[in-house]
Amino acid sequence: MGLDRVHPADLELEMAAGALVVDTRPADQRDRDGALPGAIVIDRNVLEWRLDPSSPHRIPGSDDFTRRIVVVCNEGYSSSLAAHTLQRLGLTRATDLVGGFQAWAALRTQSDTMPPGR
């Protein structure tokens, strides 16, 4: 698919560099597992027309075809397909998060349980 996928440990660096992180998980998954800090929520079924820079219905700040966009789903499957579709719309730096929200959450849990200095 040609995606330069983001690893969970690098997500904060991507955000700091200006990436737009988009959480496409359904409401029930967000309610159950929590929010992804710094991400905007866009339902998967409206993702393309909300991010397409040429769409009159795009979200504010999504008018740059070269902006890095990181799509996040629950486990990293549907986000890969979504990012590929965004690339086909001309958003050449669209990608997704390896393992999705669950991999990101597991990494956070792991780092929270590690002893200091490790």
Side-chain angles (χ1 to χ4, degrees):
M1 269 193 234
L3 300 177
D4 177 22
R5 300 182 80 201
V6 174
H7 291 273
D10 297 328
L11 187 60
E12 286 185 35
L13 294 172
E14 292 282 345
M15 287 181 175
L20 177 65
V21 177
V22 181
D23 187 347
T24 62
R25 293 176 299 142
D28 63 323
Q29 289 177 353
R30 292 191 315 271
D31 290 345
R32 180 190 69 211
D33 297 331
L36 179 58
I40 63 165
V41 174
I42 300 178
D43 289 338
R44 174 61 192 99
N45 63 334
V46 297
L47 182 70
E48 289 81 4
W49 62 269
R50 299 297 285 160
L51 291 181
D52 183 347
S54 66
S55 170
H57 304 289
R58 69 182 178 270
I59 61 169
S62 68
D63 54 357
D64 181 357
F65 279 98
T66 63
R67 185 171 187 189
R68 178 77 151 169
I69 298 171
V70 181
V71 182
V72 180
C73 67
N74 194 49
E75 294 181 340
Y77 298 108
S78 68
S79 59
S80 292
L81 298 172
H84 178 70
T85 301
L86 292 175
Q87 285 185 352
R88 292 184 65 199
L89 290 174
L91 298 163
T92 58
R93 297 187 64 216
T95 190
D96 75 321
L97 185 67
V98 175
F101 180 87
Q102 294 303 322
W104 175 84
L107 183 66
R108 285 186 57 122
T109 301
Q110 180 184 17
S111 66
D112 289 346
T113 59
M114 291 181 72
R118 287 202 140 171

